[in-house]
Amino acid sequence: QVQLVESGGGLAQAGGSLRLSCAASGRPYSLYAMAWFRQAPGKEREFVGRIRWSGGDTYYGDSVKGRFSVSRHKTMKMMYLQMDSLKPEDTAVYYCASRRVGAHDWDTWGQGTQVTVSS
């Protein structure tokens, strides 16, 4: 069993910054990639960004490009989401997810952490 635990959510003002962390624990497995998603009330889950575990290359959703940055610490199996220039529309529950090598989808999810941005 693998578990993902997010931390670092909270309240920020528009224009401010927050940094989220995601810790992977449990039985070791081969990671292909990790990602961040978010879901605001009444809206569908939205892709935020992902990082390929071996190469470290990243890819972002259009709504966060240039403002958010995903990074990882391979040895510690940690992933981070640096969120800058926050907007009220970034308010959501943020989830981290992981995909194993050979998997066709994101197969492990965290419990989520709330981010609220005030105007």
Side-chain angles (χ1 to χ4, degrees):
Q1 293 288 344
V2 175
Q3 296 84 37
L4 299 177
V5 179
E6 303 95 338
S7 61
L11 179 64
Q13 290 189 333
S17 298
L18 279 175
R19 188 189 193 216
L20 305 184
S21 300
C22 176
S25 62
R27 294 183 64 184
Y29 63 106
S30 295
L31 273 171
Y32 171 73
M34 292 184 74
W36 290 98
F37 291 81
R38 68 186 183 184
Q39 189 165 21
K43 294 188 176 181
E44 293 189 352
R45 187 174 61 198
E46 177 188 13
F47 170 77
V48 174
R50 69 103 174 108
I51 186 164
R52 206 142 42 181
W53 201 250
S54 61
D57 53 300
T58 55
Y59 181 79
Y60 298 95
D62 288 341
S63 62
V64 305
K65 275 181 188 175
R67 301 188 298 121
F68 289 11
S69 176
V70 180
S71 60
R72 71 9 179 165
H73 191 301
K74 290 180 71 175
T75 305
M76 296 182 65
K77 289 197 172 180
M78 294 287 296
M79 177 179 64
Y80 306 98
L81 179 66
Q82 179 66 40
M83 304 185 292
D84 298 320
S85 302
L86 283 164
K87 303 176 181 179
E89 51 263 45
D90 294 320
T91 296
V93 177
Y94 284 71
Y95 299 90
C96 71
S98 65
R99 179 186 297 186
R100 292 168 293 169
V101 173
H104 297 290
D105 205 348
W106 305 101
D107 50 15
T108 302
W109 293 81
Q111 83 289 349
T113 185
Q114 176 71 45
V115 171
T116 302
V117 183
S118 62
S119 57

